[in-house]
Amino acid sequence: MKHVKPGKGGAFNQIELKELMGGTKKTERFRSSETVELAHIDKEEQLDFLYRDGGLLALMNPQTFEQIEVPVDMLSADHQRLLQEGMPVAVEKYQGRPLFARIPKDVTVQVTDTKTHVKGVSVNAGFKPATVTGGAMVKVPPYIAAGDNIVINTTDMSFVRRTSE
């Protein structure tokens, strides 16, 4: 929120608003004395990913077995590629309708393709590109080979560590 005081008159607050259902953004100006009603977003719900059906993701509540569908574009293209059956997906709702979805911060995937390691290259050498299960691209250290399981940070799609899972 920016406090803007025009040349004459009272102080204004300039706020960028986003339409919850359509995503349209606009900037509005309100007097300091005016109030704005905040939208109530329902508590985050952990649902299990079941399958993808065209442009929809089928998710299930593991306690109630209730299933819902959310648009696949609620997730970035990289996150869509990382989805695995049974993976928890956090969903926030507004008035009972899904609004936001996100996958866990750390995900374990298998490297499906990368350049082979050259003997004698230092462990501290630069990173190389690798393709992981689902087709997402990640930069990995040179000692990582196809078939290795790795943990990646989904926030920035970065390598975290190699794992034996």
Side-chain angles (χ1 to χ4, degrees), residues 59-127:
L59 306 172
M60 179 183 72
N61 182 316
Q63 281 78 41
T64 64
F65 303 107
E66 176 188 353
Q67 293 185 22
I68 67 166
E69 292 180 332
V70 299
V72 71
D73 61 4
M74 282 190 177
L75 298 175
S76 71
D78 280 334
H79 289 183
Q80 292 174 33
R81 290 184 194 103
L82 294 174
L83 278 174
Q84 302 167 19
E85 187 177 324
M87 177 183 281
V89 177
V91 176
E92 292 179 87
K93 297 178 180 178
Y94 174 69
Q95 296 181 346
R97 293 174 56 193
L99 189 60
F100 304 110
R102 74 177 180 284
I103 64 175
K105 181 181 173 218
D106 291 330
V107 174
T108 301
V109 292
Q110 185 176 50
V111 175
T112 57
D113 185 44
T114 190
K115 293 180 182 176
T116 57
H117 175 62
V118 178
K119 208 170 197 179
V121 173
S122 165
V123 171
N124 295 329
F127 284 66

Side-chain angles (χ1 to χ4, degrees), residues 123-135:
V123 171
N124 295 329
F127 284 66
K128 63 182 181 178
T131 305
V132 298
T133 311

Side-chain angles (χ1 to χ4, degrees), residues 130-149:
T131 305
V132 298
T133 311
M137 296 293 293
V138 180
K139 296 276 188 182
V140 297
Y143 59 87
I144 299 296
D148 286 351
N149 289 327

